[in-house]
Amino acid sequence: MYWEAPELEKLIVSGGKPLTGTVRVSGAKNAVLPIIVASMLGSGKSTLTEIPKLADVHTVCDVINSLGVTIENPCKGTLVFDGSDLTSTVAPYDLVRRMRASFLVMGPLLARKRHAKISLPGGCSIGARPIDLHLKAFEAMGAKIDLTNGDIEAFVPNGLQGARIYLDFPSVGATENVLMAASMATGKTILENAAEEPEIVDLATYLNSMGANIKGAGTNTIRIEGVQELHGAPHSVIPDRIEAGTFMVGAAMTQGNVYVENALSEHLKPLVAKLKEVGAAVEEDIDGIRVIGRKPLRAVEIKTLPYPGFPTDMQAQFMALATICEGNSIITETVFENRFMHVEEFKRMGAKIRIEGRSAFVEGVPKLAGGRVKATDLRAGAALVLAGLVAAGRTEIGSLYHIDRGYDDLVAKLQRLGADIVRVHVEDEQ
């Protein structure tokens, strides 16, 4: 349909070239997935633009298409959805297991069909990302939940009812699921300790354009007045702040000069602050952000936190930067408990890192060395690409399906910035 999964491939990166030029950021992966799912709620066509070409987009389209949503792809970057005729309330296991965001279909299914059955979701293995917050919220809204044989089945025979819900953790996924479910519930829902990410605001903007009544998105308390019906609507997805951040870190690491077009500085404040702290020059304007790498790069301390704190999705990329900073950096991961799997891959390239609990202690080295590594998850894959850009010699990166899940045309964009990077079939190298 919109994207075809690649055969076994790997990236070959030869380091030593600074990134220079302009790169345009694509639509946000973490915004587009829930927005595509939200199209299930609308009777009529929704035209979504700034759609990135990602494996995860392909997967979520397959999931909702299997439930009866029709999908058109009239031109590059645009998808048209029509949720008028949902025909199923059972999400297929073979699709759901590919991606954790598939679980977001439960909210819309309960809102429209009063029933949903879905397998426990898959995705990156970066730690326990429990769905109990989602389930507690649905139960507060009147759902009956049954967990058997790895499947979660929910019923709301009388329809979802508005409720006061407090999230024990400001989960992005749970906030999104509640927003979609509550949009068509009876009465008012007040969601406290909600996630505040820009992607939440983008979803609420889209839902409101479909006829929902949502106030407070972007704060920790969101109020949703349920409506009987939602309609299709046009929407343009916000730029991807994590993709932008990845190119910004790459510019700093390679002593480059990159203008990241379409990057929103309002969404990137903690990253901009830390790049300045390590010694990079950062210039912000209305159309994007320029990053100029300067020597020396200084060590830094980082702690990942829910938005507006430093994003966990930039932790691996910033660790790649820290491996070549002068001095000792400390990176503490508070969001996911198993998000240091890339450390062993960095060590293969000569990095000096030790782990103590939830903190990584990084001793900067003058130069990384190329080697054979593999992407352990989506953001780790991007971080290894960045490491390869500054390593001496050749770096081979495998398990590219992780990178394909979240980066639109990464290789071509880096090539246009001057990087020596190619994508090859594994059999071509044998």
Side-chain angles (χ1 to χ4, degrees):
M1 186 190 64
Y2 183 65
W3 186 90
E4 291 297 328
E7 302 298 325
L8 282 175
E9 294 177 321
K10 64 182 177 181
L11 294 180
I12 298 177
V13 187
S14 296
K17 293 189 175 181
L19 298 182
T20 58
T22 298
V23 62
R24 188 179 189 278
V25 175
S26 300
K29 166 190 178 288
N30 290 336
V32 73
L33 300 181
I35 284 171
I36 287 174
V37 171
S39 298
M40 296 171 60
L41 292 166
S43 297
K45 291 187 176 182
S46 289
T47 301
L48 304 183
T49 54
E50 294 290 343
I51 303 290
K53 186 179 179 182
L54 306 175
D56 275 8
V57 168
H58 177 80
T59 298
V60 78
C61 285
D62 280 351
V63 171
I64 68 170
N65 184 239
S66 74
L67 300 171
V69 178
T70 62
I71 305 173
E72 302 169 29
N73 180 203
C75 59
K76 182 180 179 181
T78 298
L79 290 174
V80 181
F81 300 89
D82 191 341
S84 299
D85 299 311
L86 286 181
T87 54
S88 174
T89 59
V90 181
Y93 166 76
D94 63 321
L95 296 176
V96 173
R97 68 179 175 82
R98 297 186 208 163
M99 186 183 65
R100 188 166 194 86
S102 303
F103 194 71
L104 292 175
V105 302
M106 182 161 276
L109 286 176
L110 292 178
R112 286 197 61 186
K113 293 294 189 177
R114 303 186 178 187
H115 172 257
K117 184 177 181 181
I118 186 168
S119 302
L120 289 171
C124 286
S125 300
I126 56 175
R129 295 192 280 182
I131 56 173
D132 61 313
L133 297 178
H134 303 240
L135 300 182
K136 286 180 183 177
F138 292 144
E139 286 178 326
M141 299 173 75
K144 306 298 181 186
I145 310 289
D146 182 30
L147 283 74
T148 54
N149 300 321
D151 289 329
I152 301 169
E153 192 163 12
F155 303 87
V156 275
N158 299 318
L160 291 170
Q161 306 296 312
R164 193 176 196 101
I165 299 167
Y166 179 87
L167 297 179
D168 294 332
F169 177 83
S171 160
V172 172
T175 300
E176 292 166 344
N177 234 338
V178 171
L179 282 186
M180 290 186 285
S183 291
M184 292 181 67
T186 300
K188 180 180 289 187
T189 297
I190 299 176
L191 180 61
E192 298 176 299
N193 200 30
E196 301 177 31
E197 274 76 356
E199 295 79 12
I200 299 294
V201 177
D202 206 30
L203 174 61
T205 299
Y206 175 52
L207 288 168
N208 282 339
S209 71
M210 298 172 73
N213 185 356
I214 301 170
K215 295 181 173 67
T219 74
N220 64 6
T221 301
I222 304 176
R223 291 169 170 80
I224 310 107
E225 187 75 51
V227 298
Q228 288 191 335
E229 187 177 27
L230 296 177
H231 51 76
H235 184 76
S236 181
V237 178
I238 60 171
D240 194 315
R241 61 193 171 100
I242 306 303
E243 183 192 7
T246 301
F247 286 115
M248 291 163 66
V249 169
M253 287 181 69
T254 63
Q255 305 297 309
N257 183 337
V258 175
Y259 183 72
V260 186
E261 187 181 0
N262 205 31
L264 298 177
S265 57
E266 182 67 24
H267 295 171
L268 290 157
K269 288 181 178 179
L271 181 63
V272 167
K274 289 300 177 181
L275 281 173
K276 289 179 178 178
E277 195 174 322
V278 301
V282 183
E283 303 167 1
E284 306 167 55
D285 64 38
I286 192 169
D287 295 316
I289 302 173
R290 181 178 299 279
V291 177
I292 302 170
R294 299 188 300 198
K295 290 184 177 180
L297 292 171
R298 300 184 292 270
V300 69
E301 287 193 26
I302 287 171
K303 176 185 284 189
T304 65
L305 291 166
Y307 190 86
F310 192 93
T312 180
D313 279 353
M314 282 302 304
Q315 179 254 105
Q317 298 93 309
F318 225 89
M319 187 181 292
L321 171 58
T323 64
I324 59 169
C325 287
E326 290 186 0
N328 299 309
S329 297
I330 303 173
I331 299 176
T332 302
E333 174 61 59
T334 73
V335 180
F336 295 122
E337 80 282 0
N338 193 28
R339 207 165 198 178
F340 283 147
M341 292 187 293
H342 44 276
V343 167
E344 292 304 314
E345 303 304 307
F346 284 150
K347 286 182 177 179
R348 292 174 185 269
M349 300 178 71
K352 294 184 178 180
I353 308 171
R354 78 176 194 278
I355 304 296
E356 291 184 12
R358 290 202 164 201
S359 293
F361 295 83
V362 186
E363 180 184 344
V365 297
K367 196 81 172 177
L368 296 174
R372 291 189 175 185
V373 293
K374 65 178 181 179
T376 54
D377 61 67
L378 165 57
R379 305 306 174 184
L384 290 168
V385 171
L386 297 181
L389 293 175
V390 298
R394 166 170 147 155
T395 300
E396 297 183 12
I397 304 168
S399 299
L400 300 191
Y401 61 91
H402 285 301
I403 297 174
D404 292 334
R405 288 187 49 236
Y407 287 90
D408 183 355
D409 214 11
L410 179 64
V411 171
K413 288 180 178 179
L414 286 171
Q415 288 172 339
R416 288 194 288 270
L417 292 174
D420 188 343
I421 179 172
V422 293
R423 183 171 183 144
V424 299
H425 287 273
V426 172
E427 54 265 31
D428 292 345
E429 291 289 298
Q430 295 176 346

